[in-house]
Amino acid sequence: MTSSELMAVARAEQDWRDGLSADENPFPVGSAEYRHYQDHFDRLMVEEAIRDQSAA
């Protein structure tokens, strides 16, 4: 993974903690950074859903 792709992942994690949605992806549509941000944000949503199901 390149440094710009790692930056996209770090930004997704920060935005997740700040309560933003994946729709607020700051990277240009179609770019590698956009895809990495979206993929990581989706992964965070799935992990949260799994935690919620486990807690219920």
Side-chain angles (χ1 to χ4, degrees):
M1 212 181 273
T2 68
S3 62
S4 62
E5 292 165 343
L6 288 172
M7 182 184 70
V9 167
R11 179 69 183 265
E13 289 184 10
Q14 183 62 48
D15 289 353
W16 175 261
R17 286 190 296 271
D18 291 344
L20 301 178
S21 73
D23 295 336
E24 299 176 71
N25 187 332
F27 299 99
V29 175
S31 67
E33 292 87 357
Y34 182 92
R35 289 189 307 275
H36 283 288
Y37 179 98
Q38 196 70 37
D39 289 346
H40 195 68
F41 210 96
D42 290 345
R43 187 173 304 119
L44 292 169
M45 288 183 359
V46 168
E47 289 173 359
E48 180 181 52
I50 290 169
R51 277 193 305 274
D52 289 347
Q53 287 178 350
S54 296

